[in-house]
């Protein structure tokens, strides 16, 4: 490191140049200084330096540093209006990751500054006990703004960071002064585990849904946040977005969070509150719990509007797989969609008020729930937990549509529980209780058949004509097994695909024509919608879907050929090869084996063909 006084003078000169010649902002980034930190003394000295746009703090990979790194307004990679000049980077040098041992405090704090990139680090607090106690009172990484004027700092990046052992959050980004906050936030590849309050969270001043704009959380894992047994609020969630306008959570996993939460609300694996325009998709949330409140998989909560839960997999959570919840007044939940998700054996805890596959509760308005598959096998003594429940919790849900869903229970569990005076339309769903113990409970009365419920409550009837079915969906497998530690979601989800002889194929309602709902581009498994004469009921659109070949690459010495492809979740293919295109590709070409089950993402198959000549490949669906 250079002496602090010299660095400060250099920075002052550079900042003056940027102010005078803003068009040279990115050229100035090339002048950024590198702080190569390979000793504890050098790490401690960082807090005395003023960083400028383009500077990089390079912590030696494989080394551990003790203490806390604090960046303030004088260390911003933006100008005073929050506009990006060039990022200030905190990362590891070399091939390994550096570790910051924060002890009983936070590890990295960025306060009233933007243009910050943090990557390839391990940050550790002093730990959280199995009883939820900790001597640590901080968060692993805190990015926080409270300047007046609704200022937005641009460009926050937190990537490939492992954060654990903190008494508060793992990673937290927030604003707390009107709509002051951040714009363009990306949190990716973060593994937040064994923290107390939350794994990854954003927040804003109470009532603000605009403090954080364009927020993305991608490819993250949030697990084993215990919750705080002494807290007066909900704690122990995996990933929570609050105060966000325009958000995306995708391809994340949240599991085993919240066990010690004492509050009667929350926690949830992945959720949003006080936000608008949030999409939560392609995530897995499982085995989350609570000692009192929700303990659910996914949630669009109070003051959340115009947001979507889609293509997610929730299983074996204590509370609801999918929750939509609102309170009175400004805490209304409105204009949201829950579509093409799967819930498998959620609602494991009868003490969780939301326990169910899907729960709609309180002041929820203009909600659409369609194209989902809910499977619920009742555990001993839990037959009152339903596949879906709609509840008045001081306010009634209203103007809600529930359509084209599969509600499948076994063991005598209820299919539906409805206790509200609001306008709720059930239309085009399939209700299957394994052929016995059909129970729908509505307004305190039990109905033992779809027709009796239709006659008494006028549900599953549109324009005077009956809708809805009560038939065996004919899944490809037997869902509901208890997950093991090495379970792959694709293997479990294969069981919930429809067979070719399913009575639900082409039997769904046209939700766009009937209810002006946009169904979206695909089903849960990644297949295109409406491949036959109509929609299927449930999360799977049955079709003989072919894989999409995305690339083919050959080693320079031709020793290996790699096929890259994308297929629906739960599908596998035989790979066959030919040297001359002769014969039937599906039967006579050389069989090279079976691909792994599709995950919905790009996959690969590598072959080592004989030397010389040409080779042709085909993927044949099993």
């Amino acid at each position: 490191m250079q002496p602090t006084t010299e660095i400060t003078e250099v920075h002052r000169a550079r900042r003056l140049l940027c102010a005078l010649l803003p068009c040279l902002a990115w050229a100035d980034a090339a002048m950024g200084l590198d702080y190569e930190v390979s000793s504890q003394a050098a790490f401690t000295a960082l807090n005395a330096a003023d960083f400028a746009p383009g500077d990089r703090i390079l912590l030696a990979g494989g080394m551990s540093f003790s203490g806390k790194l604090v960046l303030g307004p004088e260390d911003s990679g933006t100008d005073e209006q929050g506009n990006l000049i060039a990022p200030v980077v905190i990362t590891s040098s070399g091939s390994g990751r550096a570790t910051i041992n924060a002890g009983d405090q936070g590890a990295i704090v960025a306060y009233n500054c933007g243009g910050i990139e943090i990557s390839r680090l391990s940050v550790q607090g002093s730990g959280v006990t199995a009883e939820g106690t900790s001597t640590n009172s901080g968060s692993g990484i805190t990015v926080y703004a409270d300047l007046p004027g609704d200022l937005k700092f641009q460009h926050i990046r937190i990537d490939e960071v492992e954060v654990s052992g903190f008494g508060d959050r793992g990673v937290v980004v927030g604003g707390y002064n009107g709509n002051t906050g951040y714009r363009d936030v990306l949190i990716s590849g973060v593994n937040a585990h064994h923290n107390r309050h939350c794994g990854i969270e954003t927040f804003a001043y109470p009532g603000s849904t605009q403090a954080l704009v364009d927020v993305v959380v991608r490819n993250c894992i949030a697990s084993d946040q215990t919750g705080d047994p002494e807290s007066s609020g909900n704690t122990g969630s995996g990933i929570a977005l609050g105060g966000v306008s325009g958000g995306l959570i995708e391809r994340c996993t949240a599991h085993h969070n919240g066990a010690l939460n004492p509050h009667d609300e929350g926690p949830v694996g992945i959720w949003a509150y006080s936000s608008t325009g949030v999409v939560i998709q392609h995530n897995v949330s499982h085995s989350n719990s609570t000692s009192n409140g929700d303990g659910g998989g996914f949630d669009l909560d109070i003051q959340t509007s115009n947001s979507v839960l889609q293509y997610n997999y929730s299983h074996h959570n204590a509370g609801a797989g999918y929750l939509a919840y609102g309170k009175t007044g400004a805490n209304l939940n409105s204009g949201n969609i829950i579509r093409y998700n799967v819930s498998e054996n959620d609602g494991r805890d009868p003490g969780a008020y939301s326990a169910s596959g899907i729960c709609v509760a309180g002041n929820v308005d203009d909600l659409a729930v369609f194209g989902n598959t809910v499977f619920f096998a009742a555990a001993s003594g839990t037959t009152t937990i339903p596949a879906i429940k709609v509840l008045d919790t001081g306010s009634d849900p209203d103007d809600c549509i529930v359509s084209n869903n599969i509600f499948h229970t076994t063991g005598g569990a209820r299919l539906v529980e409805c206790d509200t005076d609001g306008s709720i339309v059930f239309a085009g769903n399939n209700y299957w209780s394994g052929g016995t113990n059909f129970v729908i409970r509505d307004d305190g009365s039990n109905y033992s058949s779809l027709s009796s419920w239709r006659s008494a409550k006028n549900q599953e009837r549109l324009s005077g004509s009956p809708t809805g079915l009560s038939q065996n969906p004919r899944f490809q497998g037997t869902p509901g097994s208890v997950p093991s530690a090495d379970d792959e979601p694709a293997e479990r989800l294969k069981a919930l695909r429809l067979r070719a002889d399913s009575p639900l194929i082409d039997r769904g309602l046209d939700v766009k024509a009937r209810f002006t709902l946009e169904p979206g581009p695909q089903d849960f498994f990644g297949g295109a919608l409406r491949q036959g004469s109509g929609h299927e009921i449930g999360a799977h659109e049955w079709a003989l879907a072919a894989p999409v070949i995305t690339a083919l690459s050959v080693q320079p010495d031709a020793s290996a050929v790699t096929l890259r492809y994308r297929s629906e979740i739960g599908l596998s293919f035989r790979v066959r090869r030919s040297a001359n295109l002769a014969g039937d590709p599906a039967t006579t070409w050389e069989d090279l084996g079976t691909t792994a089950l599709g995950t919905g993402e790009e996959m690969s198959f590598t072959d080592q063909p004989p030397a010389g000549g040409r080779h042709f490949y085909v993927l044949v669906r099993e």
Side-chain angles (χ1 to χ4, degrees), residues 267-269 285 288 293-299 314-324 343 345-349 352-360 385-387 389:
V268 177
S285 185
N288 298 292
D294 293 320
F298 297 89
D299 176 19
S314 176
H315 66 91
H316 295 88
N317 295 290
Y322 303 90
L323 172 64
S343 166
N345 275 343
D346 288 308
R348 294 292 90 188
D349 182 0
Y353 93 92
S354 67
S356 58
I358 298 173
C359 180
V360 181
I385 295 176
K389 66 167 62 172

Side-chain angles (χ1 to χ4, degrees), residues 246 275-279 300 303-309 333-337 365-366:
S275 294
T276 187
V278 173
V279 175
L300 298 176
Q303 204 183 356
T304 299
S305 63
N306 303 318
S307 296
V308 181
L309 278 170
N333 177 308
S334 64
N336 297 311
I337 294 173
D365 186 65
D366 192 23

Side-chain angles (χ1 to χ4, degrees), residues 474-478 494-499 540 542 570 621:
R474 295 181 186 164
F475 292 130
Q476 290 188 14
T478 303
K494 180 180 179 180
L496 287 162
R497 296 174 63 91
L498 298 177
R499 288 173 11 195
H540 179 214
W542 188 89
R621 179 169 171 174

Side-chain angles (χ1 to χ4, degrees), residues 586-598:
T587 58
T588 64
W589 287 20
E590 183 179 356
D591 188 348
L592 304 180
T594 305
T595 67
L597 288 176

